[in-house]
């Protein structure tokens, strides 16, 4: 690994690293915040997955999460949102290609050789974190928008691996909305039945673990009715008897102002589960 950023923050350290990923077949970047407690003992880890067009920088510079991670003694890990580099397939659109990995394992050319963000987030990155940093095997996961979709899907497809999961403004039914349909058709092909394996609203029907889902959604979000559709997740959870705490926040939009307003509540939620 190569450390490319190192900054003191709330008594701990905000790092950014670059490494060669076997899963993504190229270089990958991730941020890791080590709270002050990590100087004395191993700490649990909260993984954060960011949204379309983002890198690891959006979360670590805009959410204000380090303050709460330092308070609760939680390590924060935020990977980039896709593979990147001159040899990595891309598209002339913000919602496909580099910056828009959608946290799936692509099966279609030209994406399949690099776009394996689900495997990277689920397996390679946690193994690296637990081997190289003072991290326990107690894990939680959260994210925003495309990353909220990723967090829900990663948790639902890996029962027993995470103590808790939450999301801000997630794309909860990607098979039914334009963002998800575009990405899934490119990365996974035209078989819509195969898409259900990457759709949180479809996955809850057969979930073998009843891990409670915590979702915050702004009611003034410009993508609420067209891309996010939290009503679909509520309906699916009600039908399956899956626990869901869906919090609709009047006045809040899709931005990091929204995330920064409630990230403290989410980190406290995860810290309680990680230490329980």
């Amino acid at each position: 690994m190569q450390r490319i950023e190192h900054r003191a923050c709330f008594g701990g350290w905000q790092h950014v690293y670059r490494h060669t990923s076997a899963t993504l077949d190229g270089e990958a970047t991730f941020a890791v915040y080590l709270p002050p407690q990590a100087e004395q003992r191993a700490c649990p880890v909260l993984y954060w997955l960011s949204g379309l067009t983002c890198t690891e920088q959006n979360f670590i510079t805009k959410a204000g999460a380090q303050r709460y991670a330092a308070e609760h003694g939680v390590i924060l890990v935020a990977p980039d949102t896709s593979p990147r580099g001159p040899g990595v397939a891309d598209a002339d659109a913000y919602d496909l290609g580099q910056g828009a990995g959608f946290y799936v394992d692509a099966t279609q050319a030209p994406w399949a050789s690099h776009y394996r963000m689900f495997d990277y987030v689920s397996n390679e990155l946690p193994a690296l974190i637990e081997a190289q940093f003072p991290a326990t095997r107690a894990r939680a996961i959260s994210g925003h928008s495309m990353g909220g979709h990723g967090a829900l899907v990663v948790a639902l497809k890996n029962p027993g691996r995470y103590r808790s999961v939450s999301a801000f403004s997630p794309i909860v039914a990607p098979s039914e909305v334009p963002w998800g349909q575009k990405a899934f058709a490119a990365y996974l092909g035209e078989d819509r039945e195969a898409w259900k394996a990457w759709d949180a609203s479809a996955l809850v029907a057969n979930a073998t673990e009843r891990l409670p889902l915590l979702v915050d959604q702004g009611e003034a979000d410009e993508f609420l009715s067209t891309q996010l559709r939290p009503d679909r997740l509520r309906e699916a959870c009600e039908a399956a008897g899956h626990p869901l705490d869906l919090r609709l926040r009047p006045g809040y939009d899709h931005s990091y102002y929204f995330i920064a307003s409630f990230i403290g509540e989410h980190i406290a939620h995860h810290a309680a589960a990680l230490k329980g």
Side-chain angles (χ1 to χ4, degrees):
M1 295 188 304
Q2 176 190 6
R3 190 171 68 187
I4 56 179
E5 288 189 36
H6 173 64
R7 305 178 191 278
C9 186
F10 290 100
W13 295 97
Q14 179 64 67
H15 305 285
V16 178
Y17 286 88
R18 182 179 295 123
H19 74 113
T20 299
S21 165
T23 304
L24 304 180
D25 192 22
E27 287 193 339
T29 304
F30 66 89
V32 56
Y33 175 69
L34 299 178
Q37 295 88 338
E39 296 283 347
Q40 306 297 327
R41 57 177 171 81
C43 296
V45 184
L46 171 60
Y47 291 86
W48 173 270
L49 307 183
S50 292
L52 286 167
T53 75
C54 291
T55 69
E56 76 289 337
Q57 292 293 321
N58 298 73
F59 179 67
I60 66 175
T61 60
K62 294 181 178 181
Q66 296 93 337
R67 170 188 174 184
Y68 304 104
E71 177 184 341
H72 293 286
V74 173
I75 295 172
L76 300 176
V77 174
D80 200 350
T81 53
S82 77
R84 297 182 193 265
V88 176
D90 201 4
D92 292 328
Y94 77 95
D95 53 358
L96 188 69
Q98 295 187 34
F102 262 84
Y103 305 101
V104 301
D105 288 343
T107 60
Q108 305 299 301
W111 314 101
S113 57
H114 296 283
Y115 283 75
R116 301 186 58 80
M117 288 300 294
F118 174 83
D119 191 6
Y120 178 73
V121 168
S122 299
N123 298 302
E124 184 178 5
L125 183 59
L128 178 64
I129 295 298
E130 290 162 16
Q132 299 294 329
F133 298 96
T136 70
R137 292 176 62 84
R139 311 176 193 99
I141 192 164
S142 186
H144 171 235
S145 193
M146 176 185 73
H149 142 74
L152 295 173
V153 168
V154 168
L156 288 165
K157 287 172 72 72
N158 289 288
R161 187 168 298 182
Y162 299 93
R163 302 278 184 90
S164 54
V165 57
S166 73
F168 289 84
S169 314
I171 306 169
V172 301
S175 299
E176 303 175 34
V177 301
W179 276 342
Q181 290 169 342
K182 179 177 182 177
F184 283 8
Y187 298 147
L188 305 173
E190 297 294 342
D191 181 3
R192 292 184 174 239
E193 280 300 307
W195 296 1
K196 293 180 180 179
W198 306 98
D199 186 312
S201 294
L203 287 170
V204 295
N206 298 307
T208 58
E209 177 188 36
R210 289 294 187 248
L211 187 67
L213 312 181
L214 170 60
V215 174
D216 261 293
Q217 173 64 61
E219 291 188 331
D221 192 317
E222 60 268 41
F223 305 113
L224 178 60
S225 61
T226 56
Q227 303 281 12
L228 307 179
R229 298 293 308 276
D231 54 299
R232 292 293 297 114
L233 184 63
R234 179 192 283 123
E235 292 165 1
C237 287
E238 288 176 350
H242 197 106
L244 169 67
D245 183 3
L246 175 59
R247 303 173 179 180
L248 301 177
R249 304 289 191 173
Y252 286 92
D253 59 17
H254 201 68
S255 71
Y256 264 82
Y257 294 109
F258 171 48
I259 297 168
S261 298
F262 301 105
I263 192 67
E265 293 183 18
H266 280 241
I267 291 179
H269 166 80
H270 291 296
L274 288 166
K275 298 173 183 178

